[in-house]
Amino acid sequence: MVMDLIDKQELFHRMEQLQERIGMFYQEISELRLMVGDLLEENQNLILENANLRDRVDFGVSHEAPPSEAKKYLHTLYDDGFHICNINYGSMRKGECLFCMESLQRT
Ligand SMILES: [Zn+2]
């Protein structure tokens, strides 16, 4: 099959257009991916904040030593890489934290 010059130009033009559109798709996908990442992070923070507030309410009402469920929860939270100490509660932990260790021993 032989193409004349006009057909070839048309073909290249359409391929360029398609490439441009694919580039836009990729950009949109990566933007959406960032948004989903932000939402997941926000969701995680809200879960921690909610748990934190619930703990405070529980402890505030009872004035007693934390129950074993809360103890387990704090251990899990610490093992998952979050601070459970008063100073940095709920934030991401980088390495060991002496305050957290102390909190774990106290509970
Ligand atoms: Zn800590």
Side-chain angles (χ1 to χ4, degrees):
M1 193 174 105
V2 179
M3 282 179 160
D4 60 34
L5 193 59
I6 302 289
D7 280 347
K8 278 185 192 163
Q9 278 179 344
E10 169 70 13
L11 194 62
F12 278 119
H13 181 61
R14 285 172 63 181
M15 279 172 67
E16 263 172 26
Q17 278 184 326
L18 194 59
Q19 213 169 3
E20 220 169 89
R21 272 153 68 191
I22 290 173
M24 277 159 63
F25 275 129
Y26 268 112
Q27 204 183 327
E28 201 168 339
I29 288 173
S30 47
E31 277 171 21
L32 286 175
R33 200 175 288 160
L34 281 179
M35 283 168 71
V36 170
D38 284 350
L39 282 177
L40 286 178
E41 198 183 319
E42 196 182 334
N43 191 35
Q44 173 90 331
N45 287 338
L46 286 175
I47 289 171
L48 289 174
E49 197 181 323
N50 192 24
N52 188 9
L53 288 173
R54 202 181 300 143
D55 280 357
R56 272 196 209 169
V57 169
D58 288 349
F59 295 160
V61 167
S62 64
H63 292 292
E64 286 168 6
S68 59
E69 277 302 308
K71 213 188 281 186
K72 252 188 272 174
Y73 173 76
L74 288 179
H75 273 277
T76 310
L77 207 58
Y78 186 77
D79 290 340
D80 283 347
F82 294 99
H83 281 282
I84 53 119
C85 58
N86 290 333
I87 300 134
N88 293 307
Y89 189 92
S91 60
M92 293 291 279
R93 185 166 56 80
K94 285 173 191 142
E96 302 295 313
C97 170
L98 286 178
F99 300 111
C100 284
M101 303 286 248
E102 202 185 303
S103 299
L104 282 176
Q105 276 169 3
R106 254 191 289 124
T107 56

